[in-house]
C-alpha cells in the first residue's frame, strides 16, 4: 500500500465527526508547523477555517522535520564549542597555577601530574608551550633527562607550527641542556648554535643560558679558553639585565673551571660568591636548584682546602634540600661528593659505598656525566687499595679500562689523561712495559692538545696546585706572570696579553673583581656559631636558612637508601 492510499484511508472522515471534534482539532492544529514556518491558520479553510484537506496540509512532513531537527542540533553543537573551549582554556590555566603552587610547597610529583592533566585539556599552542617548559624543568630537576628531552622536542614542534623564532630558540636551548646531561656534547653544541641563531633579542636570558651551556660543554671537552669566553658573555648579559640567577650559575661554573685547573683558592672564592647570591633565592622557587648547586660547589672547594667538617655540612644540607625537592640529580652529586670526603679521610670502604650508590642513581637517570665522575671516584678508591696491597691489580685494571671507554665516548680529555696515567702505573706494576709506554705517550699527547701552557713563560699549568689568572681576552697565565705584566708601566710598552696583544687594565678577573677577604669577613657570618676553630674568611657564610630553622650538623646520609622519583 502506497503512502497516498494510507493518507486517503486515514483522512477519509465524515463531516459530522469533524464538527463534533472541532474544538479539539482547533487546539491541536493551531500549534502545528506549516511548510513556511508560519503559525497562522490556513487561508483555504472551510467551516470556521477547518477541513479535512486543511488538517492534512497542516501535518508536519517527515523530511522537513528531519532538516529542522538537524538545524537545531547544529546550533546546539556550535554553541557548545563557543562556550566550552574558553571554559577548557580557563580550567587549564587554573591547573597550571595550581601546579606552580604545589611545586612551591614541595609537592613536585603532584605538580607534575597536575601539569600533565592540564596539557591534555590545553588547546592553545602558546599556553601548551609554556606548560611544556614547566614540565621540562621539573623533569630536569628530577633527573629524568630523557623525558625532559621529549618535552623539548614537543616545544620545538609547536615553535615550528607557530613559526616563532623566540620559541624556537628556547626549544633548542632546552634540547642543548638535556643533551649535555646525557653526555652528548657535540649534539649539545649543535643545538646551542641553533638557539643563538634563532634568538631575536641581543640581551636576553636565553642568550645568557646558551652561552653558559656552551661554556659547560667546552669545560668537559677541555677547551678552557672557549669556556671562559662563554662565561664572559653570560656574565655580561646577567649584569645588563640584572639576573641574579644567571650570575650565580656563572660563578658556580667559574669555580668548577678553576677547580679543574688546580687553583683551589680561586675556586673557593668563586664558590663563596655563588653561595652568597644563592641565599636570596627562595627554597620553593623553581630556581632553588641553583642554591643546591652552590652548596655542592662550596663543599667541593672546602674539601680541596682540607676543611672536611665544613664540607660535610654543606653536602648534608644540599642532600636534605634535594630530598625535599625531589632533585635526583643534585642528590646523586651530593652522595658522590660525600664519597670524596670519605676518601680524603682515608675511609675507603664508606667512600666506595657512596660511589656505588651514586653510580646506580646516575645509571637510572641516564646521567652519563655524573656516572663518569662517580666511576672516577671509585677507581681512585681501588687504586688506593691496590697501593696498600689490599687487593691485586686485576680489579683496578678492569675498572679503569671501563672508565676509559666511558670518558672517550663523552670526550672528557682531562679525565682521559688522568685515567691513562693511572692505567700506566697499573701496567708498570704488572711488568707490562709496552702498555705502560703506550698510555704515557697517549697521556702526553692529550696534555699537549689541551694547550695548558702559560702565554708568558710557556710553562705548564693546571696539572698541580698553583695560582692562576684569567685575562679579559680569556687567556690564562700564572699569577706571578700576570703580576709581572701589571708592573710594566712603560707608555711605549702598554699592558697587553702576550698571546693576542689585547690591552687590559689592572682588573685581571674575567667577570668581576672578587671581594677581598676582609670584605667577605665583614659581610658574612660564621659557618658555625659554636665552632672553636675559625674558618677562613671566604668560607664564612650563614649556612642555616633562618626561615626553616635548618641545622646542617644534625643531618646524616644513609648510604643504604635509594631515592627514586615517581614521575
Amino acid at each position: 500500500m502506497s503512502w497516498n492510499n494510507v493518507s486517503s484511508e486515514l483522512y477519509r472522515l465524515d463531516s459530522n465527526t469533524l464538527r463534533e471534534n472541532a474544538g479539539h482539532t482547533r487546539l491541536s492544529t493551531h500549534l502545528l508547523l506549516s511548510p513556511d514556518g508560519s503559525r497562522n491558520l490556513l487561508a483555504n479553510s472551510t467551516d470556521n477555517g477547518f477541513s479535512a484537506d486543511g488538517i492534512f496540509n497542516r501535518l508536519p512532513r517527515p523530511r522537513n522535520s528531519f532538516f529542522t531537527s538537524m538545524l537545531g542540533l547544529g546550533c546546539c553543537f556550535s554553541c557548545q564549542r563557543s562556550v566550552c573551549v574558553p571554559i577548557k582554556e580557563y580550567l587549564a590555566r587554573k591547573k597550571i597555577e595550581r601546579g606552580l603552587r604545589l611545586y612551591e610547597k614541595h609537592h613536585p610529583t603532584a605538580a607534575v601530574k597536575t601539569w600533565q592533566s592540564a596539557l591534555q585539556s590545553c588547546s592553545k599552542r602558546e599556553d601548551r608551550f609554556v606548560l611544556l617548559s614547566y614540565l621540562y624543568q621539573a623533569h630536569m630537576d628530577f633527573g629524568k633527562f630523557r623525558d625532559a628531552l621529549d618535552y623539548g622536542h614537543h616545544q620545538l614542534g609547536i615553535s615550528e607550527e607557530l613559526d616563532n623564532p623566540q620559541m624556537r630558540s628556547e626549544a633548542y636551548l632546552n634540547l642543548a641542556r638535556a643533551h649535555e646531561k646525557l653526555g652528548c656534547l657535540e649534539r649539545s653544541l649543535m643545538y646551542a648554535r641553533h638557539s643563538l641563531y634563532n634568538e631575536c633579542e641581543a640581551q636576553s636570558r636565553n642568550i645568557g643560558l646558551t652561552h653558559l651551556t656552551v661554556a659547560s660543554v667546552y669545560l668537559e671537552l677541555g677547551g678552557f679558553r672557549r669556556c671562559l669566553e662563554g662565561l664572559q658573555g653570560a656574565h655580561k648579559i646577567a649584569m645588563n639585565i640584572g639576573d641574579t640567577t644567571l650570575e650565580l650559575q656563572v660563578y658556580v661554573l667559574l669555580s668548577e673551571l678553576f677547580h679543574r685547573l688546580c687553583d683551589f683558592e680561586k675556586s673557593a672564592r668563586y664558590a663563596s660568591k655563588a653561595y652568597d647570591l644563592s641565599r636570596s633565592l627562595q627554597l620553593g622557587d623553581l630556581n632553588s636548584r641553583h642554591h643546591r648547586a652552590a652548596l655542592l660547589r662550596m663543599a667541593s672547594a672546602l674539601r680541596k682546602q682540607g676543611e672536611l667538617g665544613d664540607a660535610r655540612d654543606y653536602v648534608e644540607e644540599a642532600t636534605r634540600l634535594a630530598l625535599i625537592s625531589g632533585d635526583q640529580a643534585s642528590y646523586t652529586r651530593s652522595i658522590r661528593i660525600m664519597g670524596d670526603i670519605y676518601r680524603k679521610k682515608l675511609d675507603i670502604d664508606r667512600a666506595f659505598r657512596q660511589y656505588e650508590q651514586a653510580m646506580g642513581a646516575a645509571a637510572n637517570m641516564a646521567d652519563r656525566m655524573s656516572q663518569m665522575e662517580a666511576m672516577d671516584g671509585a677507581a681512585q678508591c681501588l687504586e688506593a687499595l691496590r697501593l696498600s696491597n689490599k687487593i691485586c691489580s686485576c680489579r683496578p685494571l678492569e675498572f679503569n679500562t671501563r672508565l676509559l671507554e666511558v670518558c672517550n665516548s663523552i670526550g672528557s680529555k682531562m679525565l682521559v689523561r688522568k685515567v691513562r696515567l693511572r692505567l700506566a702505573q697499573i701496567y708498570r706494576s704488572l711488568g707490562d712495559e709496552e702498555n705502560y709506554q703506550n698510555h704515557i705517550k697517549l697521556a702526553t699527547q692529550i696534555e699537549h692538545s689541551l694547550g695548558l701552557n702559560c702565554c708568558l713563560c710557556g710553562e705548564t699549568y693546571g696539572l698541580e696546585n698553583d695560582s692562576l689568572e684569567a685575562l679579559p681576552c680569556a687567556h690564562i697565565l700564572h699569577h706571578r706572570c700576570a703580576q709581572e705584566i701589571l708592573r710594566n708601566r712603560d707608555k711605549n710598552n702598554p699592558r697587553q696579553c702576550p698571546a693576542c696583544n689585547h690591552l687590559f687594565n689592572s682588573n685581571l678577573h674575567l667577570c668581576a673583581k672578587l671581594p677581598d677577604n676582609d670584605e667577605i669577613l665583614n659581610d658574612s657570618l660564621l659557618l658555625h656559631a659554636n665552632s672553636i676553630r675559625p674558618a677562613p674568611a671566604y668560607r664564612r657564610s650563614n649556612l642555616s636558612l633562618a626561615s626553616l630553622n635548618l641545622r646542617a650538623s644534625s643531618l646524616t646520609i644513609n648510604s643504604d637508601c635509594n631515592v627514586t622519583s615517581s614521575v
Side-chain angles (χ1 to χ4, degrees):
M1 181 179 293
S2 64
W3 172 258
N4 293 330
N5 293 333
V6 172
S7 301
S8 61
E9 291 292 335
L10 183 62
Y11 294 102
R12 190 177 295 124
L13 303 174
D14 185 74
S15 60
N16 294 330
T17 306
L18 290 174
R19 290 189 184 95
E20 292 176 359
N21 299 329
H24 174 70
T25 306
R26 184 179 292 111
L27 293 174
S28 61
T29 58
H30 186 70
L31 299 176
L32 293 179
L33 294 174
S34 59
D36 60 354
S38 174
R39 288 178 178 269
N40 298 324
L41 296 177
L42 293 176
N44 297 328
S45 60
T46 59
D47 194 3
N48 294 329
F50 297 96
S51 64
D53 296 335
I55 293 172
F56 176 72
N57 290 331
R58 294 286 295 177
L59 288 174
R61 298 183 181 181
R63 186 176 63 181
N64 292 338
S65 177
F66 171 76
F67 283 112
T68 303
S69 301
M70 291 301 297
L71 181 62
L73 289 174
C75 294
C76 179
F77 291 148
S78 177
C79 294
Q80 184 181 9
R81 285 194 299 268
S82 62
V83 173
C84 292
V85 172
I87 292 177
K88 287 183 179 180
E89 294 294 333
Y90 174 78
L91 294 177
R93 291 175 184 174
K94 285 296 182 182
K95 288 182 179 180
I96 295 175
E97 295 175 359
R98 185 166 66 250
L100 286 173
R101 289 193 297 270
L102 288 171
Y103 202 95
E104 292 174 356
K105 294 179 180 179
H106 317 302
H107 301 293
T109 304
V112 168
K113 289 182 179 178
T114 303
W115 285 333
Q116 289 174 342
S117 175
L119 188 63
Q120 297 176 358
S121 58
C122 184
S123 59
K124 191 175 180 180
R125 286 178 289 189
E126 290 82 358
D127 293 341
R128 288 179 64 87
F129 188 90
V130 175
L131 184 55
L132 287 169
S133 297
Y134 289 141
L135 287 169
Y136 168 85
Q137 189 55 62
H139 283 78
M140 288 291 287
D141 290 343
F142 284 136
K144 303 292 184 179
F145 302 123
R146 295 194 182 278
D147 294 337
L149 192 65
D150 293 336
Y151 288 118
H153 282 296
H154 288 315
Q155 282 186 305
L156 184 60
I158 293 175
S159 66
E160 294 293 345
E161 292 174 2
L162 297 176
D163 194 17
N164 190 323
Q166 193 73 21
M167 289 184 176
R168 191 181 298 117
S169 175
E170 183 178 346
Y172 278 128
L173 172 61
N174 290 339
L175 291 174
R177 293 169 59 195
H179 279 292
E180 178 202 351
K181 293 296 184 181
L182 293 172
C184 304
L185 302 183
E186 296 294 337
R187 188 170 297 181
S188 177
L189 277 179
M190 179 188 69
Y191 283 124
R193 294 191 187 101
H194 283 298
S195 178
L196 291 173
Y197 177 78
N198 286 277
E199 182 61 46
C200 301
E201 301 180 8
Q203 298 290 329
S204 66
R205 189 173 189 273
N206 284 345
I207 289 289
L209 290 175
T210 305
H211 283 304
L212 197 68
T213 303
V214 171
S216 180
V217 170
Y218 275 116
L219 179 61
E220 290 296 334
L221 294 176
F224 299 112
R225 185 168 185 267
R226 301 291 296 272
C227 174
L228 285 171
E229 290 175 350
L231 290 173
Q232 188 176 28
H235 186 267
K236 182 179 179 180
I237 293 175
M239 292 293 99
N240 291 337
I241 65 178
D243 193 335
T244 307
T245 304
L246 183 59
E247 184 184 2
L248 184 153
Q249 296 178 72
V250 171
Y251 289 134
V252 168
L253 200 55
L254 275 171
S255 177
E256 176 68 24
L257 169 65
F258 284 103
H259 179 91
R260 298 195 182 190
L261 293 177
C262 299
D263 188 352
F264 304 123
E265 182 72 21
K266 191 173 275 76
S267 174
R269 295 176 65 187
Y270 277 117
S272 177
K273 191 169 182 62
Y275 175 72
D276 290 338
L277 289 175
S278 71
R279 287 187 300 175
S280 63
L281 301 177
Q282 297 296 326
L283 180 62
D285 188 9
L286 288 175
N287 292 326
S288 64
R289 63 187 180 276
H290 304 308
H291 176 68
R292 299 188 288 271
L295 287 170
L296 294 176
R297 191 64 248 148
M298 278 294 298
S300 296
L302 293 176
R303 180 188 65 85
K304 279 295 186 179
Q305 294 291 330
E307 298 293 333
L308 302 182
D310 292 343
R312 177 169 180 169
D313 289 336
Y314 279 103
V315 172
E316 290 174 343
E317 175 73 1
T319 304
R320 202 194 78 86
L321 297 181
L323 292 175
I324 291 176
S325 304
D327 189 351
Q328 184 79 351
S330 295
Y331 174 79
T332 303
R333 290 197 302 272
S334 66
I335 57 179
R336 191 262 303 170
I337 295 175
M338 182 59 73
D340 294 339
I341 294 173
Y342 285 137
R343 180 169 53 84
K344 189 76 172 181
K345 291 181 177 181
L346 301 180
D347 192 350
I348 303 299
D349 293 337
R350 298 184 67 179
F352 194 80
R353 288 198 297 269
Q354 293 288 328
Y355 291 135
E356 283 184 328
Q357 186 180 354
M359 284 188 291
N364 293 333
M365 295 187 302
D367 188 352
R368 298 177 66 196
M369 306 299 294
S370 297
Q371 185 179 12
M372 179 182 65
E373 293 172 352
M375 289 180 67
D376 179 57
Q380 293 184 57
C381 288
L382 294 176
E383 181 67 10
L385 293 175
R386 184 187 71 84
L387 293 177
S388 59
N389 296 324
K390 293 183 179 180
I391 59 174
C392 65
S393 301
C394 299
R395 190 177 180 186
L397 178 62
E398 179 184 1
F399 195 87
N400 281 279
T401 303
R402 289 165 50 195
L403 175 58
L404 182 62
E405 295 175 358
V406 175
C407 296
N408 282 323
S409 63
I410 293 176
S412 181
K413 291 185 178 180
M414 288 288 285
L415 195 53
V416 168
R417 172 188 172 277
K418 184 178 178 181
V419 174
R420 286 198 179 278
L421 291 176
R422 196 181 299 143
L423 282 171
Q425 296 301 322
I426 295 175
Y427 279 116
R428 189 173 191 178
S429 65
L430 294 175
D432 193 342
E433 191 66 22
E434 181 180 357
N435 280 321
Y436 166 75
Q437 293 293 339
N438 184 33
H439 282 289
I440 289 293
K441 179 181 177 180
L442 293 175
T444 306
Q445 292 177 358
I446 294 174
E447 181 179 330
H448 291 324
S449 66
L450 290 172
L452 300 177
N453 298 103
C454 177
C455 54
L456 183 62
C457 65
E459 296 182 1
T460 304
Y461 64 84
L463 303 181
E464 58 183 12
N465 190 4
D466 200 354
S467 180
L468 304 175
E469 293 292 347
L471 300 180
C473 58
H475 281 105
I476 302 175
L477 68 166
H478 296 105
H479 176 74
R480 57 182 181 273
C481 297
Q483 294 300 320
E484 182 180 348
I485 296 175
L486 289 178
R487 283 193 295 267
N488 184 10
R489 297 182 179 273
D490 188 2
K491 295 182 179 180
N492 297 327
N493 189 12
R495 296 167 178 154
Q496 59 184 5
C497 175
C500 62
N501 297 327
H502 184 275
L503 300 178
F504 60 90
N505 54 18
S506 59
N507 183 13
L508 291 176
H509 295 287
L510 178 68
C511 293
K513 189 176 185 301
L514 289 177
D516 296 332
N517 291 346
D518 295 337
E519 296 176 2
I520 299 177
L521 177 60
N522 295 330
D523 295 336
S524 24
L525 301 176
L526 291 176
L527 181 63
H528 298 292
N530 299 325
S531 179
I532 299 176
R533 180 169 49 87
Y538 56 82
R539 302 171 195 151
R540 297 185 181 183
S541 299
N542 187 8
L543 180 61
S544 299
L545 300 176
S547 59
L548 297 178
N549 296 322
L550 301 179
R551 180 66 177 173
S553 59
S554 63
L555 303 174
T556 56
I557 294 180
N558 183 7
S559 60
D560 297 330
C561 65
N562 188 13
V563 178
T564 57
S565 175
S566 58
V567 178

